[in-house]
Amino acid sequence: MLDGYPNEDAGRGELIRVENLTVGYGETNILEDVSFSVYEGEIFAILGPSGCGKSTLFHAMIGLLPIRKGRIIIGGEELGPEERVDSLHRIRHQIGVLFQSGALLDWLSVGENIAFPLRESTDLPEEIIQHIVQLKLELVRLEGCSEIKPAELSGGMTRRAGLAAGMARDPRILFCDEPTFGLDPNTAMEIDELLIEMRDFLKVTIVVVTHVVPTLENIATRCIMLDREAKGVIASGRLDSLKNDTSDQRVQAFFQRRIPERQSQV
Amino acid sequence: MANFFTLHIERSDGEVVLYFQGQLDRDRSGEIWEDLLSFFQRENPSKLVCDLGQVDRIDTAGIALLRSLEQRCARYGIELSFRRLPEIAHRFLQEEQRQRSGQGIAEEIQPGWITSLGMWNKGRFNAAFDLIRFLGEFIAACARVLRRPKELRSWEFLEHLKEVGINAVLIICLLNAMTGLIVVFQGMSLARSFGATIYVADMVVRSVAGQMAPVLTAIIISGRSGAAFAANIGTMKIRQEVDILSVLNFNIIEFLVLPRVLAVAVATPFLIMLADTFGILGGMVTSRLVLDIPLQSYLAEVQNTLDTSTIFSGLIRGVIFGAIIGLTGCFQGLRTEHTANSVGVRATSATVSSIILIILADTIFAVLFNAFGW
Ligand SMILES: Nc1ncnc2c1ncn2[C@@H]1O[C@H](COP(=O)(O)OP(=O)(O)OP(=O)(O)O)[C@@H](O)[C@H]1O
Ligand SMILES: [Mg+2]
């Protein structure tokens, strides 16, 4: 059921596999028995209303939250309930992350934020690192902002700079938690376009967490939807089929939410 | 030469062709660049062609390398051209640089009300468990750095040393000089009743250098730096900077905690020595002005009373107090949670608990020093 699009995924490697994952905080499990796969070159979306455990799943996938049951395999490296520092290290060497609250270190300039991970984890000479910084800034259209401190950027710029920093090491997989959260529709669309560009140009596979539907429609190849009561995946597949062919009330409710309605609730 | 690229020299017009092959990415570009540099030392082509037809993977590090190459060729007047460039490289190398302005529309960033817990709140919330884990990781980090001292974040260490040490000098000198003054005033009548006002010098040495200077200094440092560490690391946690660093494979203890703890543990004993000195000087000035004790006799009395063990015990206590302050501050900082007042709460409890621990440790020292007759 999960991978019902063989023609689409044929020939592509499976890059991430999550198997029967259970995670939570304290006494409660937030997600139970979650399974899905992400394939090379996809933009894979994790959807669901606020509080359903998207960020929880996200943090588990990058090894910031212990796994209670099941396992996660990323690029052949496995994470399970036991702490395995070396495989976690190897996984983290292949990924870039854009957190919900940003991805920049406050005390470094934008350019240094990109250069810093490169200096720490590669043996590239400074000259090349400076060129990489330049390239990454061009890619996110922030050329000329290298010296600026993150605090001086606008919201959209912060997100773009965060993308550049997340992509600093040319990861195989980019994880983004709510990359367009709190941005106006136009700026959000710019970020979406950047994500597509990253995938096409830099061949990065992208896992994106979001509760904002409209922006997703043009970028995601496949997605899963989480639900708080079900503590797991309630739907998965291509976004349009999820949207149009579903009989599940919860899924319909999610897609039918419109911004005016939400405002009237507040 | 490694097989990153092969050379093919076409003599007719002095053109040199470099055939790149395999990966041109972040893991290889460093080595390739070195090879290229040595190539430039050996050869002096007037025309260079880079053929990238056999490159199977190129990322921005690879493109950056090609750009560096472009720059170098331009500087030395070498005519450079690329052949069979991958599509992605095209965009950044040959297309004219599009100058696009990087403007976004400012908007309110709403903080995510729940975000990462990071490694720090594993499993059940349990302070004791966290503390043991923290100390264990700290000791492990110390052991690693002892084995390979180069891994110490020396820049961070010096930064913190400056902040903890140098910036505290003035206030510590001032407060301890005043302590010296207070002791003289307090002891004056007692010393008079013995008919020997010179004994105020003994009192100053015993109470200030022996006891008050170390504890007072430690309390000041705990209020200044312990609280700052907690607030600092706590803010980093809330901003998810700790998560960013973990995801970049940094060891948080080695990167954030060790340099800070080391900085206070080194700075505190020196500050205590300074505090001793200024306490004694404060006493000296006061007794000269109020009791008319000549400086020479005051100093001679100080010399009589002050023995090396007093100084030595001050130094030892300094190291221990410093470690307590640093560890408590960092530990509290890392326990910061995602609520608005959490940083303040952590900073306060860092100060309070380190003061309690300092006094506790001082009590233990008093008993020990007494028992061993130091
Ligand atoms: N640090 C924590 N301690 C305890 N419970 C937590 C913690 N973080 C999250 N939770 C719980 O986990 C559930 C899922 O939170 P999560 O942050 O994963 O939601 P989300 O889907 O990312 O929501 P949003 O769209 O608002 O970011 C929430 O109900 C919350 O109560
Ligand atoms: Mg979230």
Side-chain angles (χ1 to χ4, degrees):
Chain A
M1 170 210 147
L2 277 177
D3 307 317
Y5 300 89
N7 40 347
E8 174 112 346
D9 305 326
R12 283 195 192 149
E14 186 185 50
L15 202 50
I16 303 177
R17 181 182 339 173
V18 175
E19 268 179 23
N20 306 102
L21 180 74
T22 298
V23 282
Y25 307 100
E27 305 285 319
T28 46
N29 289 339
I30 302 292
L31 296 169
E32 285 172 354
D33 260 334
V34 170
S35 303
F36 62 91
S37 300
V38 179
Y39 296 90
E40 198 130 21
E42 280 195 306
I43 296 186
F44 185 87
I46 298 171
L47 301 178
S50 192
C52 67
K54 302 182 299 290
S55 297
T56 306
L57 176 58
F58 184 86
H59 287 136
M61 289 173 83
I62 54 179
L64 290 174
L65 193 69
I67 292 171
R68 295 193 167 167
K69 248 180 62 211
R71 56 184 189 155
I72 299 174
I73 303 168
I74 297 183
E77 298 289 339
E78 182 175 329
L79 285 182
E82 282 102 57
E83 209 171 306
R84 296 255 311 273
V85 180
D86 46 339
S87 55
L88 185 60
H89 263 243
R90 283 195 292 268
I91 287 179
R92 285 177 171 170
H93 201 60
Q94 306 180 35
I95 66 172
V97 181
L98 178 61
F99 284 100
Q100 189 163 348
S101 50
L104 299 171
L105 300 171
D106 200 32
W107 66 92
L108 296 176
S109 71
V110 172
E112 283 300 298
N113 260 292
I114 303 171
F116 171 75
L118 289 166
R119 276 192 210 121
E120 293 292 335
S121 65
T122 67
D123 54 2
L124 294 174
E126 191 56 30
E127 181 175 354
I128 294 201
I129 288 181
Q130 286 313 322
H131 276 290
I132 296 180
V133 169
Q134 206 45 47
L135 276 167
K136 293 282 148 71
L137 289 176
E138 279 168 29
L139 199 66
V140 299
R141 301 149 180 59
L142 285 176
E143 48 277 84
C145 293
S146 174
E147 304 297 318
I148 294 180
K149 283 279 164 66
E152 298 162 39
L153 298 174
S154 77
M157 287 161 93
T158 308
R159 233 47 83 80
R160 293 208 299 263
L163 264 182
M167 290 297 294
R169 301 188 293 178
D170 280 287
R172 273 177 92 186
I173 312 169
L174 178 67
F175 287 87
C176 313
D177 194 353
E178 306 275 9
T180 57
F181 186 55
L183 299 181
D184 69 274
N186 282 329
T187 318
M189 206 134 78
E190 271 175 41
I191 301 284
D192 290 344
E193 275 162 14
L194 273 182
L195 287 178
I196 295 178
E197 239 177 303
M198 300 267 180
R199 183 203 41 194
D200 293 346
F201 275 113
L202 303 179
K203 308 283 177 250
V204 62
T205 304
I206 299 176
V207 175
V208 50
V209 163
T210 184
H211 68 267
V212 194
V213 196
T215 79
L216 255 180
E217 296 180 20
N218 25 19
I219 72 166
T221 31
R222 280 184 327 124
C223 56
I224 56 172
M225 185 177 294
L226 302 178
D227 183 75
R228 191 181 182 132
E229 264 72 54
K231 295 193 173 184
V233 180
I234 52 168
S236 68
R238 291 187 62 89
L239 192 74
D240 44 359
S241 70
L242 233 65
K243 203 170 154 182
N244 303 321
D245 315 337
T246 184
S247 54
D248 192 313
Q249 299 259 309
R250 295 164 298 184
V251 180
Q252 283 176 352
F254 180 79
F255 284 111
Q256 275 153 17
R257 258 184 336 160
R258 281 287 165 259
I259 290 155
E261 261 177 57
R262 253 191 308 179
Q263 279 175 343
S264 65
Q265 279 168 10
V266 173
Chain B
M1 181 174 303
N3 50 349
F4 302 125
F5 52 84
T6 53
L7 273 176
H8 183 264
I9 304 177
E10 277 154 30
R11 283 181 199 147
S12 54
D13 51 355
E15 180 180 271
V16 176
V17 186
L18 293 177
Y19 290 94
F20 286 86
Q21 50 204 214
Q23 285 141 278
L24 204 57
D25 60 13
R26 69 159 194 224
D27 295 326
R28 308 274 301 274
S29 292
E31 296 170 72
I32 299 178
W33 184 244
E34 298 217 331
D35 276 6
L36 276 174
L37 289 183
S38 71
F39 158 77
F40 277 115
Q41 267 166 11
R42 279 178 289 114
E43 312 273 337
N44 192 13
S46 60
K47 239 172 154 185
L48 187 64
V49 179
C50 295
D51 185 306
L52 294 128
Q54 289 159 52
V55 170
D56 3 286
R57 197 183 124 74
I58 185 166
D59 64 7
T60 38
I63 298 174
L65 176 121
L66 296 179
R67 272 204 183 171
S68 304
L69 191 63
E70 261 183 345
Q71 226 176 38
R72 184 164 275 269
C73 288
R75 210 181 310 143
Y76 295 110
I78 302 168
E79 199 177 306
L80 174 75
S81 58
F82 295 108
R83 224 191 262 163
R84 295 194 282 168
L85 261 188
E87 188 200 347
I88 162 182
H90 252 290
R91 163 169 171 182
F92 289 107
L93 289 173
Q94 304 208 315
E95 206 177 290
E96 202 185 314
Q97 295 292 314
R98 280 168 289 178
Q99 281 301 324
R100 283 169 295 200
S101 62
Q103 281 165 0
I105 295 161
E107 104 294 356
E108 213 176 307
I109 298 179
Q110 290 164 263
W113 58 289
I114 297 160
T115 16
S116 139
L117 277 181
M119 286 298 202
W120 281 97
N121 291 341
K122 285 201 149 184
R124 265 170 227 158
F125 183 75
N126 185 331
F129 176 81
D130 283 352
L131 179 62
I132 291 167
R133 193 189 160 94
F134 172 78
L135 290 176
E137 288 187 16
F138 180 76
I139 291 166
C142 287
R144 265 197 306 277
V145 168
L146 273 181
R147 247 180 298 139
R148 276 166 295 156
K150 270 204 204 112
E151 307 226 328
L152 177 68
R153 298 275 164 178
S154 38
W155 189 84
E156 277 85 0
F157 168 69
L158 293 175
E159 251 332 86
H160 292 304
L161 193 60
K162 179 175 141 247
E163 171 51 37
V164 174
I166 314 281
N167 298 355
V169 164
L170 193 67
I171 183 162
I172 282 174
C173 294
L174 202 68
L175 286 186
N176 281 286
M178 292 201 274
T179 319
L181 173 144
I182 293 167
V183 168
V184 170
F185 274 119
Q186 290 288 315
M188 211 157 61
S189 56
L190 191 64
R192 272 209 189 102
S193 71
F194 284 114
T197 49
I198 187 68
Y199 283 141
V200 293
D202 295 62
M203 289 183 201
V204 168
V205 169
R206 283 187 196 285
S207 58
V208 175
Q211 194 49 244
M212 280 158 76
V215 174
L216 191 64
T217 306
I219 288 176
I220 294 169
I221 296 175
S222 140
R224 277 188 87 252
S225 305
F229 289 171
N232 210 307
I233 295 181
T235 313
M236 288 179 63
K237 243 200 125 188
I238 287 196
R239 298 176 49 88
Q240 289 194 304
E241 290 173 334
V242 174
D243 287 345
I244 296 174
L245 292 169
S246 321
V247 169
L248 289 174
N249 274 339
F250 280 93
N251 181 319
I252 296 302
I253 302 288
E254 264 178 53
F255 190 71
L256 296 179
V257 178
L258 196 58
R260 286 179 166 81
V261 175
L262 223 53
V264 243
V266 169
T268 312
F270 284 104
L271 290 174
I272 286 179
M273 290 228 282
L274 204 67
D276 290 346
T277 316
F278 272 79
I280 291 169
L281 286 181
M284 181 174 83
V285 173
T286 319
S287 41
R288 172 78 190 78
L289 295 180
V290 181
L291 294 175
D292 258 343
I293 298 174
L295 299 187
Q296 289 88 340
S297 35
Y298 180 90
L299 285 177
E301 191 63 26
V302 166
Q303 220 166 24
N304 270 340
T305 333
L306 191 62
D307 49 4
T308 44
S309 79
T310 312
I311 297 174
F312 184 67
S313 93
L315 290 182
I316 300 239
R317 280 190 281 183
V319 174
I320 304 284
F321 293 168
I324 289 175
I325 294 167
L327 286 169
T328 326
C330 294
F331 176 64
Q332 294 293 354
L334 285 172
R335 283 185 57 198
T336 305
E337 301 210 25
H338 247 276
T339 50
N341 62 354
S342 192
V343 173
V345 171
R346 289 299 153 202
T348 313
S349 63
T351 317
V352 173
S353 48
S354 61
I355 290 178
I356 293 173
L357 287 174
I358 285 165
I359 295 188
L360 198 68
D362 199 45
T363 315
I364 295 173
F365 274 121
V367 173
L368 281 184
F369 285 153
N370 192 37
F372 290 101
W374 285 337

PDB file of all heavy atoms in Angstrom, chain A residues 50-51 53-56 58-59 100 177-178 209 211, chain B residues 112-115, ligand 2:
ATOM      1  N   SER A  50      -1.153  20.421  13.064  1.00  0.00           N
ATOM      2  CA  SER A  50      -0.211  20.765  14.129  1.00  0.00           C
ATOM      3  C   SER A  50      -0.343  19.802  15.312  1.00  0.00           C
ATOM      4  O   SER A  50      -1.440  19.431  15.690  1.00  0.00           O
ATOM      5  CB  SER A  50      -0.514  22.196  14.573  1.00  0.00           C
ATOM      6  OG  SER A  50       0.523  22.641  15.376  1.00  0.00           O
ATOM      7  N   GLY A  51       0.773  19.386  15.824  1.00  0.00           N
ATOM      8  CA  GLY A  51       0.755  18.531  17.006  1.00  0.00           C
ATOM      9  C   GLY A  51       0.617  17.052  16.724  1.00  0.00           C
ATOM     10  O   GLY A  51       0.526  16.247  17.640  1.00  0.00           O
ATOM     11  N   GLY A  53       2.847  15.113  15.420  1.00  0.00           N
ATOM     12  CA  GLY A  53       4.091  14.366  15.582  1.00  0.00           C
ATOM     13  C   GLY A  53       5.023  14.451  14.395  1.00  0.00           C
ATOM     14  O   GLY A  53       5.945  13.652  14.267  1.00  0.00           O
ATOM     15  N   LYS A  54       4.838  15.450  13.552  1.00  0.00           N
ATOM     16  CA  LYS A  54       5.721  15.578  12.387  1.00  0.00           C
ATOM     17  C   LYS A  54       7.152  15.872  12.815  1.00  0.00           C
ATOM     18  O   LYS A  54       8.092  15.204  12.381  1.00  0.00           O
ATOM     19  CB  LYS A  54       5.229  16.697  11.449  1.00  0.00           C
ATOM     20  CG  LYS A  54       3.813  16.514  10.941  1.00  0.00           C
ATOM     21  CD  LYS A  54       3.406  17.616   9.995  1.00  0.00           C
ATOM     22  CE  LYS A  54       3.424  19.006  10.611  1.00  0.00           C
ATOM     23  NZ  LYS A  54       2.370  19.225  11.608  1.00  0.00           N
ATOM     24  N   SER A  55       7.299  16.872  13.672  1.00  0.00           N
ATOM     25  CA  SER A  55       8.656  17.212  14.114  1.00  0.00           C
ATOM     26  C   SER A  55       9.264  16.074  14.916  1.00  0.00           C
ATOM     27  O   SER A  55      10.476  15.846  14.867  1.00  0.00           O
ATOM     28  CB  SER A  55       8.643  18.473  14.970  1.00  0.00           C
ATOM     29  OG  SER A  55       8.205  19.560  14.206  1.00  0.00           O
ATOM     30  N   THR A  56       8.413  15.352  15.639  1.00  0.00           N
ATOM     31  CA  THR A  56       8.903  14.211  16.415  1.00  0.00           C
ATOM     32  C   THR A  56       9.536  13.183  15.471  1.00  0.00           C
ATOM     33  O   THR A  56      10.652  12.714  15.701  1.00  0.00           O
ATOM     34  CB  THR A  56       7.735  13.593  17.194  1.00  0.00           C
ATOM     35  OG1 THR A  56       7.109  14.617  17.955  1.00  0.00           O
ATOM     36  CG2 THR A  56       8.208  12.493  18.106  1.00  0.00           C
ATOM     37  N   PHE A  58      10.583  13.731  12.484  1.00  0.00           N
ATOM     38  CA  PHE A  58      11.732  14.403  11.880  1.00  0.00           C
ATOM     39  C   PHE A  58      12.967  14.261  12.769  1.00  0.00           C
ATOM     40  O   PHE A  58      14.046  13.865  12.315  1.00  0.00           O
ATOM     41  CB  PHE A  58      11.346  15.879  11.715  1.00  0.00           C
ATOM     42  CG  PHE A  58      12.346  16.743  11.028  1.00  0.00           C
ATOM     43  CD1 PHE A  58      12.367  16.836   9.655  1.00  0.00           C
ATOM     44  CD2 PHE A  58      13.249  17.507  11.756  1.00  0.00           C
ATOM     45  CE1 PHE A  58      13.267  17.672   9.014  1.00  0.00           C
ATOM     46  CE2 PHE A  58      14.149  18.339  11.128  1.00  0.00           C
ATOM     47  CZ  PHE A  58      14.155  18.418   9.748  1.00  0.00           C
ATOM     48  N   HIS A  59      12.792  14.553  14.043  1.00  0.00           N
ATOM     49  CA  HIS A  59      13.928  14.469  14.962  1.00  0.00           C
ATOM     50  C   HIS A  59      14.432  13.049  15.131  1.00  0.00           C
ATOM     51  O   HIS A  59      15.635  12.824  15.259  1.00  0.00           O
ATOM     52  CB  HIS A  59      13.572  15.079  16.314  1.00  0.00           C
ATOM     53  CG  HIS A  59      13.491  16.565  16.260  1.00  0.00           C
ATOM     54  ND1 HIS A  59      12.494  17.292  16.848  1.00  0.00           N
ATOM     55  CD2 HIS A  59      14.272  17.464  15.644  1.00  0.00           C
ATOM     56  CE1 HIS A  59      12.673  18.569  16.611  1.00  0.00           C
ATOM     57  NE2 HIS A  59      13.746  18.700  15.873  1.00  0.00           N
ATOM     58  N   GLN A 100      12.884  23.726  12.171  1.00  0.00           N
ATOM     59  CA  GLN A 100      11.686  24.562  12.179  1.00  0.00           C
ATOM     60  C   GLN A 100      12.016  25.982  12.618  1.00  0.00           C
ATOM     61  O   GLN A 100      11.489  26.940  12.097  1.00  0.00           O
ATOM     62  CB  GLN A 100      10.642  23.935  13.114  1.00  0.00           C
ATOM     63  CG  GLN A 100       9.284  24.590  13.037  1.00  0.00           C
ATOM     64  CD  GLN A 100       8.183  23.722  13.631  1.00  0.00           C
ATOM     65  OE1 GLN A 100       8.371  22.546  13.911  1.00  0.00           O
ATOM     66  NE2 GLN A 100       7.023  24.301  13.804  1.00  0.00           N
ATOM     67  N   ASP A 177      12.220  21.067   8.176  1.00  0.00           N
ATOM     68  CA  ASP A 177      11.032  21.105   9.028  1.00  0.00           C
ATOM     69  C   ASP A 177      10.326  22.431   8.802  1.00  0.00           C
ATOM     70  O   ASP A 177      10.861  23.478   9.148  1.00  0.00           O
ATOM     71  CB  ASP A 177      11.434  20.934  10.496  1.00  0.00           C
ATOM     72  CG  ASP A 177      10.238  20.619  11.388  1.00  0.00           C
ATOM     73  OD1 ASP A 177       9.099  20.667  10.883  1.00  0.00           O
ATOM     74  OD2 ASP A 177      10.453  20.328  12.573  1.00  0.00           O
ATOM     75  N   GLU A 178       9.149  22.393   8.204  1.00  0.00           N
ATOM     76  CA  GLU A 178       8.344  23.591   7.943  1.00  0.00           C
ATOM     77  C   GLU A 178       9.152  24.709   7.291  1.00  0.00           C
ATOM     78  O   GLU A 178       9.281  25.795   7.848  1.00  0.00           O
ATOM     79  CB  GLU A 178       7.749  24.135   9.247  1.00  0.00           C
ATOM     80  CG  GLU A 178       6.958  23.137  10.052  1.00  0.00           C
ATOM     81  CD  GLU A 178       5.507  23.008   9.610  1.00  0.00           C
ATOM     82  OE1 GLU A 178       5.156  23.579   8.554  1.00  0.00           O
ATOM     83  OE2 GLU A 178       4.750  22.328  10.306  1.00  0.00           O
ATOM     84  N   VAL A 209       8.802  18.506   6.025  1.00  0.00           N
ATOM     85  CA  VAL A 209       7.680  18.426   6.947  1.00  0.00           C
ATOM     86  C   VAL A 209       6.851  19.679   6.788  1.00  0.00           C
ATOM     87  O   VAL A 209       7.403  20.771   6.731  1.00  0.00           O
ATOM     88  CB  VAL A 209       8.206  18.377   8.394  1.00  0.00           C
ATOM     89  CG1 VAL A 209       7.105  18.702   9.385  1.00  0.00           C
ATOM     90  CG2 VAL A 209       8.816  17.028   8.691  1.00  0.00           C
ATOM     91  N   HIS A 211       2.647  21.608   7.344  1.00  0.00           N
ATOM     92  CA  HIS A 211       1.206  21.514   7.507  1.00  0.00           C
ATOM     93  C   HIS A 211       0.505  22.500   6.573  1.00  0.00           C
ATOM     94  O   HIS A 211      -0.686  22.690   6.624  1.00  0.00           O
ATOM     95  CB  HIS A 211       0.803  21.759   8.961  1.00  0.00           C
ATOM     96  CG  HIS A 211       1.040  23.161   9.420  1.00  0.00           C
ATOM     97  ND1 HIS A 211       2.199  23.546  10.035  1.00  0.00           N
ATOM     98  CD2 HIS A 211       0.277  24.262   9.343  1.00  0.00           C
ATOM     99  CE1 HIS A 211       2.134  24.823  10.321  1.00  0.00           C
ATOM    100  NE2 HIS A 211       0.984  25.293   9.908  1.00  0.00           N
TER     101      HIS A 211
ATOM    102  N   GLY B 112       8.203  27.875  17.086  1.00  0.00           N
ATOM    103  CA  GLY B 112       7.525  26.604  17.202  1.00  0.00           C
ATOM    104  C   GLY B 112       7.364  26.313  18.687  1.00  0.00           C
ATOM    105  O   GLY B 112       8.308  26.444  19.435  1.00  0.00           O
ATOM    106  N   TRP B 113       6.177  25.955  19.088  1.00  0.00           N
ATOM    107  CA  TRP B 113       5.964  25.837  20.527  1.00  0.00           C
ATOM    108  C   TRP B 113       6.582  24.579  21.097  1.00  0.00           C
ATOM    109  O   TRP B 113       6.833  24.458  22.279  1.00  0.00           O
ATOM    110  CB  TRP B 113       4.481  25.927  20.884  1.00  0.00           C
ATOM    111  CG  TRP B 113       3.657  24.884  20.213  1.00  0.00           C
ATOM    112  CD1 TRP B 113       3.348  24.843  18.886  1.00  0.00           C
ATOM    113  CD2 TRP B 113       3.087  23.727  20.797  1.00  0.00           C
ATOM    114  NE1 TRP B 113       2.606  23.740  18.617  1.00  0.00           N
ATOM    115  CE2 TRP B 113       2.423  23.031  19.773  1.00  0.00           C
ATOM    116  CE3 TRP B 113       3.054  23.203  22.091  1.00  0.00           C
ATOM    117  CZ2 TRP B 113       1.754  21.848  19.986  1.00  0.00           C
ATOM    118  CZ3 TRP B 113       2.372  22.031  22.298  1.00  0.00           C
ATOM    119  CH2 TRP B 113       1.736  21.358  21.254  1.00  0.00           C
ATOM    120  N   ILE B 114       6.829  23.652  20.255  1.00  0.00           N
ATOM    121  CA  ILE B 114       7.539  22.481  20.738  1.00  0.00           C
ATOM    122  C   ILE B 114       8.573  22.167  19.688  1.00  0.00           C
ATOM    123  O   ILE B 114       8.287  22.191  18.531  1.00  0.00           O
ATOM    124  CB  ILE B 114       6.626  21.263  20.816  1.00  0.00           C
ATOM    125  CG1 ILE B 114       5.524  21.506  21.797  1.00  0.00           C
ATOM    126  CG2 ILE B 114       7.409  20.037  21.204  1.00  0.00           C
ATOM    127  CD1 ILE B 114       4.362  20.607  21.577  1.00  0.00           C
ATOM    128  N   THR B 115       9.722  21.931  20.099  1.00  0.00           N
ATOM    129  CA  THR B 115      10.659  21.466  19.084  1.00  0.00           C
ATOM    130  C   THR B 115      11.580  20.446  19.707  1.00  0.00           C
ATOM    131  O   THR B 115      11.142  19.597  20.481  1.00  0.00           O
ATOM    132  CB  THR B 115      11.407  22.620  18.444  1.00  0.00           C
ATOM    133  OG1 THR B 115      11.246  23.751  19.262  1.00  0.00           O
ATOM    134  CG2 THR B 115      10.859  22.949  17.088  1.00  0.00           C
TER     135      THR B 115
HETATM  136 MG    MG C   2       6.723  20.737  14.082  1.00  0.00          MG
END
